[in-house]
Amino acid sequence: MSSFILSGMQIALFSFAFITLIRLMLGPTSSDRLVALNVLSAVSLALLILWGIRNRRTLYLDVALVYDIFGFLGFLAITRFLKHRKEGR
């Protein structure tokens, strides 16, 4: 039963990732693309956690934690870049 639920969650997350990728490519503004990138990072983090739970390996959870930290730092760096570009520096 839990394997069935995990599979359903993974299918749902893959479909969310696909929809987010479309938004990332077609987003009319850079802000839309940035939000889509952040959502895609969260979805891939959730997929890593589900993969770790399914395989009963804590290594995937550690990788997910490091991935989340780098994703947040990357989000901040891109935001700062876009802010400076908008101000004309």
Side-chain angles (χ1 to χ4, degrees):
M1 180 66 171
S2 75
S3 175
F4 177 72
I5 293 171
L6 287 174
S7 296
M9 290 171 67
Q10 284 179 338
I11 290 170
L13 285 172
F14 276 122
S15 64
F16 296 153
F18 180 72
I19 292 168
T20 305
L21 277 173
I22 292 172
R23 183 63 177 178
L24 184 67
M25 288 184 233
L26 299 178
T29 65
S30 58
S31 298
D32 291 332
R33 289 187 174 106
L34 184 62
V35 170
L37 187 63
N38 196 18
V39 170
L40 188 61
S41 174
V43 168
S44 61
L45 176 73
L47 282 169
L48 274 173
I49 291 172
L50 283 177
W51 191 260
I53 291 171
R54 176 172 235 172
N55 292 334
R56 295 187 173 116
R57 300 276 312 237
T58 60
L59 177 67
Y60 293 111
L61 302 178
D62 295 335
V63 169
L65 179 64
V66 171
Y67 178 76
D68 188 39
I69 292 169
F70 283 131
F72 179 70
L73 291 175
F75 178 75
L76 289 178
I78 293 171
T79 304
R80 186 172 179 162
F81 172 74
L82 290 176
K83 179 184 170 189
H84 288 311
R85 191 176 81 177
K86 186 176 181 180
E87 291 175 354
R89 288 185 186 176

